[in-house]
Amino acid sequence: RAPSAYILYCNEARSKLPEGLKVPEQAKLLGAQWKALDEKERVKFEKMATEAKAAIADAAPETKAKGKGANSEPKPKRAPSAYILYCNEARSKLPEGLKVPEQAKLLGAQWKALDEKERVKFEKMATEAKAAIADAAPETKAKGKGANSEPKPKRAPSAYI
C-alpha cells in the first residue's frame, strides 16, 4: 500500500524532532506541523504520494482479491419464497412510519391469517420464480455429502499393525 502525503511528511520530519519524545507527543507535534505546512511544501508530499501509488499500481497490476470466493463467479440469485413474495406485495399496504420490526410482526400475522386460496397464489409464484432461476443457471454444482462423488478407495493395511 502506498504511503499518504502525511505519512511521507512524518517520515521526513520525524528526524528533526527532539529526542526522548514519546510516540503520542511526536504524533501531536507532527500533526500540528502538517496543519501549519504551507501549500508549496504540502504539494511536494502529495506529488510524492501520487507517484508512490502509481508505482505500486504499475508493479502489481493484477492482485488477487481477498476473501472467501473473491475470485469465483457470483452466486446465482436465490428464488424468493412465497412468504417473501407476499411481504413484498403487502408492505405497500401497511401504514407509513412503521419500523422494520413492527412491519415484520404485522406481515407475519397477516401471512398466518391468510386464507388458503391467497396462499396458493403466492406459492405458485414462488414455484415459477424457482423454475425460472433454475432454467437460467443449469450448471450449478451439487453440494453436500456424496453429491456427484465416487466412494473413496480403501487404503491398504499398514505394515506396522
Side-chain angles (χ1 to χ4, degrees), residues 72-133:
S72 64
E73 295 177 17
K75 286 173 113 179
K77 215 170 192 183
R78 218 170 139 180
S81 66
Y83 174 71
I84 296 295
L85 291 169
Y86 170 75
C87 289
N88 289 342
E89 186 174 300
R91 192 170 282 117
S92 62
K93 299 172 188 167
L94 291 177
E96 293 290 322
L98 287 178
K99 294 182 178 178
V100 174
E102 296 165 344
Q103 288 180 6
K105 287 178 185 175
L106 284 174
L107 291 169
Q110 290 174 4
W111 175 253
K112 286 180 182 177
L114 200 64
D115 65 334
E116 191 63 31
K117 193 176 187 181
E118 283 290 310
R119 195 178 282 225
V120 167
K121 172 183 134 183
F122 290 105
E123 288 172 355
K124 183 180 177 188
M125 288 168 54
T127 306
E128 290 170 359
K130 188 175 183 179
I133 288 177

Side-chain angles (χ1 to χ4, degrees), residues 127-145:
T127 306
E128 290 170 359
K130 188 175 183 179
I133 288 177
D135 290 343
E139 304 97 30
T140 56
K141 296 177 184 175
K143 293 186 178 180
K145 271 193 172 179

Side-chain angles (χ1 to χ4, degrees), residues 66-73:
K66 294 181 181 177
K68 183 179 177 185
N71 293 332
S72 64
E73 295 177 17

Side-chain angles (χ1 to χ4, degrees), residues 3 11 13 29 32 34 42 48 54 58 93 108 111 116 137 152:
N11 290 341
L29 284 175
W34 175 253
R42 191 177 289 223
M48 288 170 46
D58 291 343
K93 299 172 188 167
W111 175 253
E116 191 63 31
K152 291 183 179 179

